[in-house]
Amino acid sequence: TYVSTSTFKPDAQKAVWLATVVPGLGQIYNRQYWKVPIIYAGTLGLVYGITWNDRMYVDYKKGYVDLMDGNPNTNYFDYLLPEGVVLDDSNRDYYTRTIKTKLDTYQRNRDLCIIATAVLYLLSIIDAYVDAQLFDYDISPDLSLQLTPTVIAPSSSYEQDTSVGLSCKLKF
């Protein structure tokens, strides 16, 4: 029987292309399977955040436009007010500011979720590249640092004093 003696060594360019086409595929190619659920859970959470904040933004935008147009027939903002509140001249400014603040907040949160999704996508590509590059990097426990006192002789005829110093030897 034929037994393959070759070991797996991922190609960094292939890992990047796979991660670019389908997020998480680069991690599967690099045999880092445990990272895939993290990528997809993060993506799903951010997509949910985008859609929810966008729905709220659209509702508050429609209510704010209806509130500002002065038309008594457009009253979508009534759905945004607390139950039992009737809009009149005494509380109009307060609820206008409140609806505008919520409108801005939902828009900001939606935009931040979009940015975070793009960052997560780029991080998954960078992670696939780094994992492929460092796949066979030796992480031996044989790391050592040796510090010893040293006497340094004068290096030229102008220097007459010997120096005392510290020699540092790093083994990795």
Side-chain angles (χ1 to χ4, degrees):
T1 64
Y2 174 74
V3 176
S4 173
T5 58
S6 67
T7 59
F8 175 73
K9 171 72 173 113
D11 177 33
Q13 282 187 329
K14 186 174 182 180
V16 166
W17 281 110
L18 290 171
T20 302
V21 173
V22 178
L25 200 54
Q27 283 72 18
I28 292 172
Y29 173 70
N30 289 334
R31 298 181 180 174
Q32 298 287 319
Y33 307 110
W34 64 273
K35 294 179 180 179
V36 177
I38 296 170
I39 292 170
Y40 282 107
T43 302
L44 287 173
L46 288 167
V47 167
Y48 177 78
I50 291 168
T51 57
W52 187 81
N53 282 299
D54 189 56
R55 276 195 315 258
M56 298 302 288
Y57 169 74
V58 168
D59 286 347
Y60 275 89
K61 184 175 181 181
K62 188 174 179 183
Y64 185 72
V65 168
D66 285 353
L67 187 61
M68 297 305 292
D69 69 4
N71 185 350
N73 296 328
T74 58
N75 56 357
Y76 188 79
F77 58 85
D78 284 341
Y79 297 109
L80 305 175
L81 299 175
E83 193 172 326
V85 171
V86 176
L87 200 62
D88 57 18
D89 289 338
S90 67
N91 60 8
R92 186 177 219 42
D93 288 339
Y94 171 76
Y95 285 112
T96 301
R97 282 193 315 270
T98 302
I99 289 174
K100 176 65 171 140
T101 301
K102 287 188 177 194
L103 171 71
D104 293 342
T105 300
Y106 289 124
Q107 181 182 17
R108 190 189 89 236
N109 290 345
R110 180 201 60 194
D111 294 348
L112 285 174
C113 285
I114 291 170
I115 292 168
T117 303
V119 168
L120 179 64
Y121 175 69
L122 289 174
L123 284 176
S124 73
I125 294 170
I126 292 168
D127 178 67
Y129 175 77
V130 170
D131 275 346
Q133 285 290 339
L134 299 178
F135 187 80
D136 58 354
Y137 184 75
D138 182 25
I139 314 174
S140 65
D142 222 10
L143 300 175
S144 63
L145 175 67
Q146 187 178 21
L147 298 172
T148 55
T150 303
V151 176
I152 304 169
S155 60
S156 68
S157 60
Y158 298 110
E159 294 181 23
Q160 301 195 353
D161 296 330
T162 56
S163 300
V164 178
L166 196 61
S167 173
C168 176
K169 192 185 293 184
L170 179 63
K171 180 180 174 185
F172 56 95

